[in-house]
Amino acid sequence: MTTTVGQALDHREVLDLYRRHLSRGRAKISEVFGTRMEVASRGAWIETSDGGRYLNAGGYGVLIHGARHPHVEAAVIRQIRTNPVASRILLEPEAARAAAALGRVVPDGLAHVHFAGSGAEATEAAIKLARTLGHTRLVSTTGGYHGKTLGALSVTANGLYQDPFRPLLPEVSHVPFGDADALAAELATGPRACVVLEPIQGEGGVVIPPEGYLRDVRAICDQHGALMVLDEIQTGMGRLGTWWGADREGVTPDVMLVGKGLSGGIVPVSAMVATPAVFKAFAKDPFIHTSTFSGAPIAMAAARAAVEAVEQDGLVARAAVLGETLLTGMREVVDRRCPQLVREVRGVGLLIGVDMAGPGLAGALLAELVDRHLIVNYSLNAGAVLRFTPPAVLTDDDVDFLLSAFDGACAELSARYPTADSTGAS
Ligand code: PLP
């Protein structure tokens, strides 16, 4: 089959190209979710080539602003038309403005920024930064997710993704998430540790630690001279109804990782922010850790505008309010429709997990939701948990649509599996 650049493709041609050039496995996904093709997006909605519409409550947690937020879109278009990629020899103002914007909203003390393109790259930067201070031993948490480049994968505790790529980094251990005593015991076994963890585990299945956990982690790291790296790639930028998970406990880590929503949903960009003391080596030598496109003006314009859009539109407060409404509504649906199929609906702000009685049920619910034009995400480190991460721009009608689709999907699943035993998921 030959295709011309710019020519519209039908779904059979797209599937064929997926199979031949991308991934047969990816092509197979359409056997479950259908062959409609997304071609446009705006706000909370995705449009398909046949004119269909889907509410996007997935997006891997990227779309806190929704798709194509006007402020971010305008900033990026302006930058494309003026200076998308910099010489890196002359001074360039967009990087400085983006760093200042991020610096304005992160916890006090995290004054220095290193920009990158993906969450995994931000994690890599943090692992390397820790090494400049002699912290070569990594401690992360069971179920934690920090990306899939080799270093990030070493702290992402999932054999499924790790095993094909061993050996990974040496001197890595994992402790149970939410268990401060376990962390203290691990740090007591030796010096030079760098602790990497999320405030709430996203891909781990929306795991919320006990109150005070982050404060305890901070104190334990201080006691043992360990660095604390807080991965806010999924939880940050207002998703939890606070700017950062760290704000929920008034904690300042030594290093914080930002990604996903920092893109404004338009240009991939991530960041590692750190205290001046920790950032020393990167501040002194700008070539110690570089990448061609890191800090490119087009990404910097997106990042600055993404921060401004959250501020201007009050998206942090909106995420808190919407999150409460959705959590209450979804719990009510589950109690009424299918308590036998769901272990728990839990969440903070717009990071909500539906913990099903088994992975098969999570897949079945996902398919039912897609059938009802609602898109959500599975969790990479927790097969039984579906994650709802809608944007903070949902209207009241969008909320009604989401809850009604969830209600219909739960009713359908309950009819199929009327008792817990009938699911075979025990
Ligand atoms: N850290 C966390 C907490 C994440 O949720 C993710 C992605 O889901 C990453 C890191 C990796 O980010 P990326 O996929 O952009 O590399």
Side-chain angles (χ1 to χ4, degrees):
M1 188 182 312
T2 54
T3 45
T4 320
V5 174
Q7 175 190 314
L9 303 174
D10 76 13
H11 73 266
R12 283 174 299 269
E13 291 169 308
V14 169
L15 272 177
D16 184 58
L17 292 175
Y18 266 53
R19 281 191 201 100
R20 285 196 290 147
H21 301 299
L22 291 167
S23 151
R24 279 197 312 283
R26 179 64 189 80
K28 258 181 163 323
I29 292 181
S30 64
E31 288 170 16
V32 182
F33 299 125
T35 52
R36 284 181 137 188
M37 295 191 295
E38 64 181 77
V39 290
S41 54
R42 176 63 113 187
W45 292 88
I46 293 173
E47 269 176 41
T48 51
S49 54
D50 59 355
R53 292 179 86 228
Y54 289 74
L55 182 72
N56 192 359
Y60 302 98
V62 166
L63 297 166
I64 189 74
H65 308 81
R68 296 175 49 216
H69 187 286
H71 184 65
V72 185
E73 190 178 73
V76 170
I77 290 173
R78 214 167 27 243
Q79 199 60 39
I80 287 175
R81 292 191 173 143
T82 50
N83 189 32
V85 176
S87 69
R88 305 188 78 146
I89 300 287
L90 303 176
L91 271 181
E92 191 287 305
E94 286 306 315
R97 295 173 76 192
L102 190 55
R104 189 168 68 235
V105 296
V106 294
D108 279 349
L110 298 173
H112 284 278
V113 188
H114 171 86
F115 285 109
S118 67
E121 283 177 88
T123 307
E124 292 294 335
I127 291 171
K128 288 181 71 179
L129 185 65
R131 288 186 165 203
T132 65
L133 297 167
H135 293 258
T136 51
R137 184 179 153 221
L138 291 163
V139 180
S140 125
T141 61
T142 312
Y145 189 93
H146 305 286
K148 286 181 180 157
T149 52
L150 274 183
L153 186 60
S154 304
V155 287
T156 287
N158 187 341
L160 197 63
Y161 304 123
Q162 291 182 321
D163 291 344
F165 303 104
R166 292 188 188 283
L168 300 172
L169 289 184
E171 288 194 275
V172 181
S173 56
H174 294 97
V175 294
F177 183 66
D179 184 343
D181 292 340
L183 178 66
E186 178 62 24
L187 293 191
T189 64
R192 304 186 328 278
C194 168
V195 176
V196 183
L197 81 168
E198 296 152 88
I200 290 176
Q201 288 186 335
E203 300 297 333
V206 189
V207 184
I208 304 165
E211 210 197 313
Y213 176 62
L214 289 185
R215 275 195 301 275
D216 289 347
V217 170
R218 177 69 277 179
I220 292 163
C221 285
D222 288 345
Q223 189 190 341
H224 293 278
L227 279 188
M228 177 178 176
V229 176
L230 195 62
D231 181 344
E232 297 258 16
I233 287 165
Q234 185 155 162
T235 48
M237 295 294 290
R239 177 144 304 278
L240 301 181
T242 48
W243 261 104
W244 314 101
D247 298 345
R248 289 168 30 91
E249 298 199 6
V251 163
T252 302
D254 299 298
V255 178
M256 200 169 87
L257 310 180
V258 188
K260 296 199 186 267
L262 187 62
S263 67
I266 295 189
V267 183
V269 55
S270 65
M272 172 190 75
V273 295
T275 60
V278 170
F279 200 76
K280 230 169 23 197
F282 278 41
K284 183 164 168 233
D285 179 357
F287 299 107
I288 195 169
H289 179 69
T290 60
S291 169
T292 304
F293 291 108
S294 76
I298 185 174
M300 297 299 91
R304 174 178 55 78
V307 170
E308 289 169 354
V310 171
E311 292 175 313
Q312 286 165 10
D313 294 0
L315 295 185
V316 175
R318 184 84 185 126
V321 171
L322 283 167
E324 272 304 313
T325 306
L326 289 177
L327 192 61
T328 307
M330 289 168 67
R331 282 179 171 155
E332 186 276 322
V333 167
V334 165
D335 287 348
R336 188 164 39 82
R337 294 291 193 191
C338 58
Q340 78 280 17
L341 305 180
V342 178
R343 283 193 205 112
E344 191 180 20
V345 181
R346 55 179 176 262
V348 175
L350 290 174
L351 178 58
I352 298 175
V354 179
D355 192 349
M356 304 297 291
L361 282 174
L365 179 58
L366 180 55
E368 288 300 329
L369 292 171
V370 174
D371 266 1
R372 288 167 177 76
H373 290 216
L374 175 61
I375 293 182
V376 303
N377 286 135
Y378 40 82
S379 304
L380 287 171
N381 281 355
V385 180
L386 287 190
R387 265 173 319 131
F388 288 61
T389 52
V393 299
L394 293 182
T395 62
D396 290 350
D397 284 351
D398 295 340
V399 169
D400 289 346
F401 180 93
L402 189 155
L403 290 175
S404 147
F406 186 60
D407 183 75
C410 286
E412 166 62 33
L413 226 58
S414 196
R416 205 181 308 162
Y417 305 110
T419 64
D421 290 344
S422 62
T423 67
S426 54

